[in-house]
């Protein structure tokens, strides 16, 4: 089989799905992209069996179409080559007897060995699914705001994903690792049925990378059943296995009474924490927040190296004077994922979780709540 494709178009599309290529699978065939040739397009598949992504690329020309239309092409090899090429047409000439691949690029000719595409695992679409449609901006925002809070503990697999809850009134995404939690809710989405499931981080990172690059809002079809979910948009399709298990009761850990409320400029607070945290103990990354007399004192110290830093910030504080410790890493992550000018930090006691919320709303349909657990302060 023989076809012509633009080198940069091919590179861009392959890079967008390359995160699904298996890197340590017991099946060597998964180190390859699966090329499947059609009358006027090329469908490329990357998979690690848990997550599969397909992209359809329109071809400039298909001059030879055999009965055998599938070939597995070494992913790493092809990507490295494409990165070195200018924006030019490429001719793929594939011998369907031994699956040798000859590439022609004007003055250059290159050969590499492919593999019979029939050996690639069969990818089947989920059956008996429920279908719903989301906007790309909603989905990209939801992933960005929550995925950093999901855990990495293999002993607690349910907390290593994002919990998605669909209702007739809204859609909610939750990520937590037991030290921090983010709940992102949108009321401008309505579902015909109520459902909930846990999405794995790897496919969500793939989705975020592609959807975030879109200049215009597009529709994303989401089809799900008890075990799998499939996202379809433009020329892409992503199929992934859901995480099996029951998500923790996250609502139970969100404190309801928080009489102490700090309102502060988000950027000033974030930059101050970044500076002060340089002087903190690098293993605990602990910083101290002291609120009194309408002033916020941010401090950190590392007794092992006699390092110390203090900064004062103007703020508005309502409640009893208090002192509380947090991980600077968690605060930096959370403040970096809030879009508003000011934030509210709501607290009850130094040993209870603090809540970070936007002080004002940039989107009336968006509701975001972030929870961070405190750390024990040194005497």
């Amino acid at each position: 089989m023989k076809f012509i494709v633009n080198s940069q178009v091919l590179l861009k599309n392959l890079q967008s799905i390359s995160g699904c290529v298996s890197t340590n699978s017991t099946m060597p065939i998964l180190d390859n992209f699966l090329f499947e040739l059609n009358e006027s397009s090329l469908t490329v598949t990357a998979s690690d069996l848990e997550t599969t992504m397909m992209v359809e690329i329109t071809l400039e020309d298909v001059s030879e179409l055999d009965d055998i239309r599938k070939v597995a092409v070494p992913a790493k090899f092809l990507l490295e080559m494409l990165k070195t090429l200018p924006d030019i047409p490429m001719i793929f000439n594939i011998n369907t007897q031994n699956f040798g691949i000859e590439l022609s690029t004007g003055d250059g000719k290159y050969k590499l060995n492919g593999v019979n595409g029939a050996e690639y695992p069969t990818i089947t679409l989920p059956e008996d699914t429920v279908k719903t449609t989301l906007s790309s901006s909603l989905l990209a925002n939801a992933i960005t705001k929550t995925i950093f809070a999901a855990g990495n503990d293999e002993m607690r697999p349910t907390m290593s994903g994002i919990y998605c809850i669909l209702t007739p009134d809204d859609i909610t995404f939750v990520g937590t690792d037991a030290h921090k939690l983010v709940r992102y809710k949108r009321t401008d989405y309505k579902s015909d049925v109520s459902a909930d499931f846990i999405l794995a981080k790897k496919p969500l990172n793939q989705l975020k990378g592609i959807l975030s690059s879109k200049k215009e809002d597009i529709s994303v079809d989401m089809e799900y059943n008890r075990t799998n979910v499939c996202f379809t948009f433009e020329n892409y399709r992503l199929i992934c296995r859901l995480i099996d298990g029951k998500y923790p009761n996250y609502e139970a850990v969100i404190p309801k009474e928080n009489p102490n409320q700090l309102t502060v400029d988000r950027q000033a607070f974030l930059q101050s924490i970044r500076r002060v945290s340089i002087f903190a103990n690098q293993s605990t990354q602990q910083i101290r927040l002291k609120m009194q007399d309408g002033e916020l004192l941010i401090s950190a110290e590392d007794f092992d190296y006699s390092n110390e830093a203090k900064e004062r910030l103007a703020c508005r504080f309502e409640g009893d004077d208090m002192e509380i410790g947090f991980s600077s890493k968690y605060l930096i992550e959370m403040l970096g994922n809030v879009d508003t000018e000011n934030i509210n930090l709501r607290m009850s006691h130094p040993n209870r979780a603090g809540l970070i919320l936007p002080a004002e709303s940039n989107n009336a349909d968006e509701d975001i709540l972030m929870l961070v657990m405190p750390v024990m302060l040194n005497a």
Side-chain angles (χ1 to χ4, degrees), residues 146 149-151 157-165 173-178 180-182 196-199 243-251:
T146 56
T158 56
M159 294 173 69
S160 67
I162 299 300
Y163 186 40
C164 180
I165 309 135
F173 296 81
V174 182
T176 184
D177 63 359
K180 57 186 181 293
L181 179 148
V182 179
D196 61 285
F197 42 82
I198 307 172
L199 299 160
I243 296 177
D244 188 30
K246 185 174 176 60
Y247 202 76
N249 181 10
Y250 70 92
E251 292 281 5

Side-chain angles (χ1 to χ4, degrees), residues 41 67 72 83 108 114 143 154 168 188 194 228 232 236 255 294 309 332 350 377:
S41 64
D67 292 337
K83 288 175 186 176
I143 297 170
E154 294 181 357
D188 53 345
S194 295
N228 293 276
T232 306
Y236 292 96
I332 289 169
L377 289 170

Side-chain angles (χ1 to χ4, degrees), residues 168-369:
D169 299 317
D170 51 44
I171 183 170
T172 303
F173 296 81
V174 182
T176 184
D177 63 359
H179 299 289
K180 57 186 181 293
L181 179 148
V182 179
R183 184 192 68 197
Y184 181 85
K185 183 181 292 186
R186 289 286 289 262
T187 56
D188 53 345
Y189 166 86
K190 313 294 179 185
S191 174
D192 294 333
V193 296
S194 295
D196 61 285
F197 42 82
I198 307 172
L199 299 160
K201 282 199 292 187
K202 182 175 180 177
L204 290 182
N205 272 318
Q206 288 293 117
L207 269 180
K208 182 181 77 168
I210 299 173
L211 297 180
S212 298
S213 67
K214 300 296 178 185
K215 295 180 180 179
E216 297 180 355
D217 220 1
I218 61 171
S219 295
V220 180
D221 291 333
M222 181 172 72
E223 300 173 71
Y224 59 90
N225 57 20
R226 294 172 60 89
T227 56
N228 293 276
V229 64
C230 175
F231 297 92
T232 306
F233 56 98
E234 292 185 334
N235 57 327
Y236 292 96
R237 174 170 282 163
L238 186 149
I239 306 166
C240 60
R241 192 182 302 276
L242 296 171
I243 296 177
D244 188 30
K246 185 174 176 60
Y247 202 76
N249 181 10
Y250 70 92
E251 292 281 5
V253 303
I254 300 175
K256 301 297 186 289
E257 299 295 329
N258 301 283
N260 302 311
Q261 298 193 27
L262 168 74
T263 304
V264 65
D265 181 278
R266 182 184 68 87
Q267 272 295 340
F269 191 29
L270 176 58
Q271 296 306 326
S272 183
I273 293 172
R274 281 177 172 156
R275 288 189 295 271
V276 170
S277 65
I278 296 171
F279 298 83
N281 182 290
Q282 294 306 298
S283 60
T284 65
Q285 298 182 317
Q286 173 188 298
I287 63 166
R288 184 185 302 248
L289 306 182
K290 186 175 182 179
M291 289 141 286
Q292 63 179 29
D293 302 326
E295 192 175 62
L296 170 63
L297 177 65
I298 306 170
S299 62
E301 52 194 357
D302 186 348
F303 293 111
D304 295 335
Y305 296 96
S306 299
N307 295 333
E308 184 179 358
K310 293 181 180 179
E311 285 198 21
R312 295 183 185 277
L313 274 181
C315 68
R316 186 171 76 249
F317 182 68
E318 300 173 6
D320 299 326
D321 292 353
M322 70 179 298
E323 203 167 358
I324 189 169
F326 291 112
S327 162
S328 60
K329 177 186 175 185
Y330 297 156
L331 287 180
I332 289 169
E333 287 179 325
M334 290 181 167
L335 293 172
N337 279 285
V338 178
D339 302 324
T340 55
E341 183 178 346
N342 300 294
I343 61 99
N344 284 334
L345 176 56
R346 301 181 183 179
M347 300 156 286
S348 55
H349 300 285
N351 62 349
R352 296 288 306 278
L355 300 181
I356 296 176
L357 300 99
E360 59 271 347
S361 176
N362 289 336
N363 184 344
D365 298 314
E366 182 180 81
D367 176 21
I368 183 167
L369 176 146

